[in-house]
Amino acid sequence: MIEDMLRTPDAVRDAERYTAHNYHPLPVVISSAEGAWLTDVDGRRYLDCLAGYSALNFGHRHPKLIDAAHAQLDKLTLTSRAFIHDQFADFCRELAELCGKDLVLPMNTGAEAVETGIKVARKWGYQVKGVTPGQANIVVAEGNFHGRTTTIVSFSTDEDARADFGPYTPGFTIVPYGDLAALADAIDENTVAVLLEPIQGEQGVVVPPEDYLPGVRRVCTERNVLFIADEIQSGLGRTGATFACEHEGVVPDMYLLGKALGGGIVPVSAVAANADVLGVLKPGQHGSTFGGNPLACAVATEVVRLLATGEFQRRSAELGARLHAGLQSLIGKGLVAVRGRGLWAGLDIDPALMSGREACERLAERGVLAKDTHGSTIRLAPPLVITEEEIDHAVAQLAAVLAG
Ligand SMILES: *Cc1c(COP(=O)(O)O)cnc(C)c1O
């Protein structure tokens, strides 16, 4: 089994021995990568079908991103926001333009972008909407994944993510995902925002009903509530558009971005919104030592420029169609359901056959790396630089695994 293929058990054992067990990685030890391919310490190659949970949308070590990072490393890496550096304005302007918003606020991790969104929405609620002091609430969805901070896990419905981390932050109302009537019912006079993933990635790439996001947009506008779209995993090309919301013609009040924004090189996240929303923050009210640092801005500006060409969105749409056609052909042959959009797929394996974990282990033996989400569900999210042949290869390996 998978243990047999490991010729470097020390690195696996030590990774277990000296770290908290907050992950259960596949026992492969990667030492280099390029494009869609990873190489382990023994020279074995793997097709990357996870892409760092979409942090590697442009593949490993995209030449333009690596060049930008190298050039910036030789000039300036950190100033803190106490001073302005020469990479800052271009990044903010180009990202704001990509998002079609007035302003951006750069942070580092996705969870920080979510926290920033929550803080801004609450402040907007008190200062602009006029909600009762101390009573702001935000409507969120069952099955959400927005990160790991104490506030964010307070409104998780995944017991693994939430249990024993209380006391929990109040001010969140949880409604079923995809149920517009429930969402509208949950909104009251103190609701400042609805916070949703346009496609729920960690939940298994769950796509809501077609009329859901436009309905959420309509209800938010009618009730004077901010629509915050967490596009940290769904955004920046993954679904065949810059933002997953675009497929439904929906423009949220606030985008939360992360993962791919850092080009797989540095953690970069951001909140994008118009001035009537993000403008509520004044000096001293929010910040981050590393947020918007020169190295991050240099890399992320190149990411924005790659996206501005539209090439990656196009690739994701076209190659995604091929991926989904291939996966659909496996329904009844070990797969019971396939969901997703673009180069993003959630697969439910027949639970009688094997768990998602087992499928991923067997895929790894065949040189394809993917990750299970829950139970018998696995997620495929290859880098958008993957080729047609490589997609066919991944589907063929999956077919072989399912065929036993
Ligand atoms: C990964 C993710 C986050 C959290 O990002 P981190 O960088 O891990 O903090 C938030 N929301 C969504 C939808 C994500 O996929």
Side-chain angles (χ1 to χ4, degrees):
M1 279 304 294
I2 191 150
E3 309 299 337
D4 302 336
M5 80 190 206
L6 290 170
R7 281 155 288 163
T8 53
D10 287 359
V12 175
R13 217 178 31 240
D14 287 355
E16 285 236 329
R17 186 180 297 162
Y18 296 109
T19 47
H21 289 177
N22 60 329
Y23 280 91
H24 183 31
L26 290 173
V28 291
V29 183
I30 306 300
S31 57
S32 64
E34 185 148 4
W37 290 88
L38 300 156
T39 305
D40 75 8
V41 287
D42 295 312
R44 241 184 92 104
R45 297 180 80 224
Y46 303 85
L47 182 59
D48 186 352
C49 285
L50 179 64
Y53 303 93
S54 285
L56 288 151
N57 279 2
F58 311 97
H60 295 269
R61 301 172 52 250
H62 188 288
K64 285 199 171 145
L65 303 179
I66 293 294
D67 284 352
H70 279 152
Q72 194 57 42
L73 280 170
D74 286 336
K75 289 194 299 188
L76 177 72
T77 55
L78 191 69
T79 55
S80 86
R81 293 282 308 278
F83 315 118
I84 300 169
H85 61 77
D86 67 354
Q87 302 296 307
F88 192 69
D90 280 349
F91 167 62
C92 294
R93 177 173 37 77
E94 292 183 37
L95 181 60
E97 284 169 5
L98 185 79
C99 296
K101 296 293 185 193
D102 300 337
L103 304 175
V104 301
L105 196 172
M107 298 293 285
N108 310 284
T109 65
E112 286 174 296
V114 174
E115 290 275 353
T116 301
I118 291 168
K119 287 174 71 176
V120 167
R122 286 179 171 182
K123 207 170 200 45
W124 172 87
Y126 297 122
Q127 297 196 340
V128 179
K129 181 170 175 174
V131 305
T132 311
Q135 296 301 310
N137 72 71
I138 295 177
V139 178
V140 298
E142 272 173 27
N144 71 71
F145 182 84
H146 297 289
R148 301 291 196 171
T149 65
T150 43
T151 285
I152 294 170
V153 300
S154 293
F155 56 88
S156 172
T157 56
D158 173 353
E159 271 310 289
D160 282 341
R162 183 177 191 274
D164 294 332
F165 295 126
Y168 300 110
T169 305
F172 299 94
T173 308
I174 303 169
V175 297
Y177 188 65
D179 183 340
L180 185 61
L183 181 134
D185 277 351
I187 291 175
D188 64 26
E189 67 282 4
N190 291 320
T191 303
V192 296
V194 169
L195 167 62
L196 293 175
E197 299 153 85
I199 293 176
Q200 289 189 327
E202 299 301 309
Q203 187 61 13
V205 195
V206 175
V207 182
E210 223 175 82
D211 52 355
Y212 183 60
L213 297 175
V216 173
R217 173 68 279 176
R218 197 172 55 246
V219 168
C220 285
T221 302
E222 281 166 11
R223 309 285 294 273
N224 193 24
V225 164
L226 300 177
F227 181 4
I228 305 177
D230 181 343
E231 293 251 19
I232 290 167
Q233 193 166 160
S234 58
L236 308 184
R238 175 52 56 192
T239 65
T242 306
F243 303 108
C245 283
E246 270 176 63
H247 295 286
E248 315 287 345
V250 163
V251 178
D253 298 295
M254 193 189 289
Y255 290 108
L256 307 180
L257 303 174
K259 292 202 163 95
L261 191 55
I265 299 174
V266 275
V268 185
S269 67
V271 171
N274 280 340
D276 57 336
V277 176
L278 258 186
V280 299
L281 289 181
K282 300 290 178 253
Q285 296 176 348
H286 190 59
S288 160
T289 302
F290 291 97
N293 70 73
L295 182 59
C297 287
V299 171
T301 301
E302 241 5 271
V303 165
V304 172
R305 288 176 186 169
L306 290 179
L307 286 166
T309 68
E311 178 197 335
F312 291 89
Q313 296 89 323
R314 221 166 19 249
R315 284 189 73 86
S316 180
E318 287 168 14
L319 297 169
R322 191 177 185 96
L323 174 67
H324 280 275
L327 294 172
Q328 285 295 334
S329 75
L330 299 178
I331 297 237
K333 296 178 187 156
L335 289 188
V336 293
V338 178
R339 296 169 298 274
R341 208 156 220 172
L343 277 172
W344 205 18
L347 327 175
D348 296 338
I349 294 167
D350 180 351
L353 278 184
M354 66 190 83
S355 67
R357 171 78 187 187
E358 207 180 333
C360 290
E361 288 178 352
R362 293 197 195 172
L363 279 170
E365 289 177 89
R366 293 178 160 273
V368 174
L369 294 186
K371 181 74 174 71
D372 50 309
T373 58
H374 301 278
S376 57
T377 300
I378 66 177
R379 161 190 26 206
L380 299 181
L384 312 183
V385 296
I386 196 170
T387 63
E388 289 186 352
E389 296 71 37
E390 289 162 350
I391 286 172
D392 295 347
H393 173 72
V395 171
Q397 299 314 307
L398 178 65
V401 163
L402 296 172

